[in-house]
Amino acid sequence: MSRRVITPEGVLSFPFLFAPRAAMPGEEPKYQAVICFPEGTDLSALRKAALEVATEAWGPEATKQIKAGKIRMPFREPEPDEDGTAWYPEGTTYMTCRSKSRPGVVDRYLDPETGKPRVIEDPDVMYPGCRVRFSVTFFSYDRNGNRGVGVALNNVQRMGDGPRLDSRVHAQDEFSGEAPPENLDWGGGDDGGVL
């Protein structure tokens, strides 16, 4: 009981696409990422697929059980922390997606040699805040009294740049500089080996 779906475009958050990470100490490390959908994104195909999985697993009463909170769905809304701040803007819907296998990561642009989207191997290109689409599989789970629909991460496509969510700045953008003197020794010299 599963459904494979391509998501609409969203914003990448908490990416662990090239090396696995344990969600909690002692848990098996997994590849994972969050995709955030801005307010107004059409999620009807995702919601339909998740509901179909729940209905196949728990029958026609699944909708009532979802509304009663007895079956968890993967769609989350931002909740403010104790200080009133939230990770994501109001109106955002997000999903956490995980996989034991490393997802494929590609660009939106075609590789001229293969005619297929270019493969991305550089983790720095997949920063929190870039625009992405995911290939995901919705699946049902029933463990230790917890029932719900989970999301497996299959592949990721980078669609473009966006404002960074982690506030990191390139060093070249953060510092000013000056033209080097003509006799500057880039191998060390008087600057203590820094340059």
Side-chain angles (χ1 to χ4, degrees):
M1 294 180 225
S2 64
R3 293 285 186 285
R4 191 176 184 117
V5 184
I6 304 293
T7 71
E9 187 174 307
V11 176
L12 182 64
S13 184
F14 295 102
F16 294 91
L17 303 173
F18 298 92
R21 171 186 178 264
M24 300 289 286
E27 286 188 2
E28 177 184 6
K30 292 183 180 178
Y31 298 91
Q32 54 194 320
V34 174
I35 186 167
C36 306
F37 302 106
E39 187 171 13
T41 304
D42 181 5
L43 302 178
S44 57
L46 300 182
R47 292 185 187 280
K48 180 183 177 198
L51 182 58
E52 286 174 353
V53 168
T55 302
E56 282 184 10
W58 297 291
E61 296 294 310
T63 302
K64 289 181 184 176
Q65 292 180 22
I66 291 167
K67 288 180 181 175
K70 295 180 180 178
I71 295 176
R72 292 182 55 136
M73 295 298 272
F75 310 103
R76 303 281 179 261
E77 310 295 328
E79 296 180 14
D81 290 336
E82 292 176 8
D83 64 358
T85 60
W87 279 97
Y88 306 119
E90 189 175 337
T92 300
T93 300
Y94 65 94
M95 299 188 313
T96 302
C97 311
R98 296 183 176 92
S99 175
K100 292 181 183 179
S101 303
R102 180 177 164 183
V105 182
V106 296
D107 199 349
R108 72 185 298 175
Y109 300 110
L110 299 179
D111 182 330
E113 292 182 17
T114 65
K116 295 183 177 184
R118 294 183 299 187
V119 173
I120 294 175
E121 294 291 343
D122 182 358
D124 290 336
V125 173
M126 301 303 293
Y127 60 88
C130 70
R131 299 185 343 264
V132 293
R133 295 190 309 165
F134 285 4
S135 165
V136 298
T137 300
F138 291 105
F139 63 91
S140 61
Y141 63 85
D142 189 347
R143 292 186 299 269
N144 303 323
N146 293 318
R147 288 181 168 184
V149 175
V151 191
L153 179 61
N154 302 317
N155 296 302
V156 179
Q157 183 176 36
R158 185 181 192 280
M159 301 301 289
D161 288 319
R164 289 193 75 107
L165 299 179
D166 59 4
S167 302
R168 288 190 62 187
V169 178
H170 289 288
Q172 294 94 331
D173 297 331
E174 191 163 35
F175 298 107
S176 61
E178 58 187 65
E182 291 182 25
N183 62 351
L184 179 66
D185 177 7
W186 286 93
D190 295 334
D191 292 303
V194 175
L195 296 177

